């Protein structure tokens, strides 16, 4: 499970900061997230230790075996996390150049794209990276607002302008 942790909501509301949602560690997520560069260095370290292990004897060999197992466990956790991230990323479309607003379409729309000052009404489901849902309007009323009026977060307005009527 996860618990959303939020800080600085007044700054967010005053439009001084972006919304940041931090999650406690999810099950299956490595304790420390390695970068690709760090994972590459660990792979090299494992190869070097395996070479040393071939020549080692007794206690030294046992110690190297333990080191190799620990490093391989970290790499295995990293690889599992990376596969999960890549699966989550598949199919998303960027709305903004920096990738800050993205969406995944499950049903194509055939209508027009809302423009500035258009009134829109929609249901939305917000998910954090990895797929955990943090908000949905499906169990209540749809959200209704005027695009460009500034009554919802900018990311939602940007995302709505990229969708077509009827799109899910």
């Amino acid at each position: 499970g996860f618990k959303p942790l939020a800080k600085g909501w007044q700054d967010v509301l005053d439009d001084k900061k972006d919304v940041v949602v931090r999650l406690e560690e999810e099950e299956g997520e490595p304790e420390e997230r390695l970068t690709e560069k760090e994972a590459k260095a660990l792979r090299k370290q494992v190869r070097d230790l395996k070479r040393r292990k071939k020549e080692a004897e007794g206690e030294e060999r046992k110690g190297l075996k333990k080191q190799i197992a620990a490093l391989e466990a970290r790499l295995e956790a990293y690889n599992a996390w990376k596969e999960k991230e890549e699966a989550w990323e598949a199919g998303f479309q960027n709305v903004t150049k920096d990738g800050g607003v993205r969406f995944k379409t499950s049903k194509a729309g055939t209508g027009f794209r809302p423009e500035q000052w258009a009134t829109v009404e929609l249901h939305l489901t917000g998910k954090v990276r990895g797929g955990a849902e943090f908000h949905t309007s499906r169990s209540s009323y749809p959200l209704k607002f005027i695009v460009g009026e500034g009554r919802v977060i900018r990311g939602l307005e940007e995302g709505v302008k990229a969708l077509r009527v009827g799109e899910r």
Side-chain angles (χ1 to χ4, degrees):
F2 69 95
K3 294 178 185 173
L5 303 173
K7 282 191 167 187
W9 280 110
Q10 192 58 50
D11 286 341
V12 171
L13 294 173
D14 294 341
D15 208 20
K16 293 177 185 172
K17 290 186 178 177
D18 293 331
V19 175
V20 176
V21 177
R22 294 185 316 172
L23 301 178
E24 289 183 0
E25 185 176 304
E26 291 185 42
E27 192 173 316
E29 188 174 321
E31 287 180 23
E32 62 173 306
R33 252 189 226 151
L34 300 174
T35 64
E36 184 59 40
K37 186 176 181 179
E38 291 168 330
K40 185 177 180 179
L42 280 181
R43 286 185 204 101
K44 183 183 181 318
Q45 191 176 355
V46 167
R47 282 193 306 271
D48 292 345
L49 289 172
K50 284 182 177 181
R51 280 189 207 109
R52 281 182 46 203
K53 187 181 96 172
K54 285 181 184 178
E55 299 168 4
E57 295 178 10
E59 290 300 315
E60 183 186 5
R61 185 176 176 90
K62 285 180 184 178
L64 290 172
K65 192 174 179 179
K66 283 182 181 180
Q67 281 183 305
I68 292 167
L71 293 175
E72 286 178 335
R74 286 178 67 195
L75 285 169
E76 190 176 313
Y78 167 77
N79 290 333
W81 171 80
K82 189 174 177 184
E83 277 183 33
K84 185 178 173 184
E85 282 288 298
E86 287 170 355
W88 167 249
E89 294 288 330
F92 273 100
Q93 298 174 37
N94 283 333
V95 175
T96 57
K97 289 179 184 176
D98 67 357
V101 178
R102 303 169 329 143
F103 67 89
K104 186 182 274 190
T105 303
S106 59
K107 177 186 164 206
T110 56
F112 65 92
R113 293 186 197 277
E115 295 181 8
Q116 194 80 346
W117 310 118
T119 299
V120 295
E121 187 171 317
L122 57 102
H123 279 289
L124 72 110
T125 302
K127 296 181 180 182
V128 293
R129 182 177 295 255
E133 190 175 291
F134 66 86
H135 176 78
T136 185
S137 65
R138 294 243 170 242
S139 59
S140 61
Y141 298 101
L143 177 63
K144 186 176 181 177
F145 64 94
I146 297 172
V147 176
E149 194 174 39
R151 296 198 178 247
V152 296
I153 61 172
R154 276 187 309 227
L156 180 56
E157 287 192 356
E158 293 296 319
V160 164
K161 286 193 264 183
L163 299 172
R164 293 190 179 277
V165 172
E167 197 161 4
R168 294 185 91 169

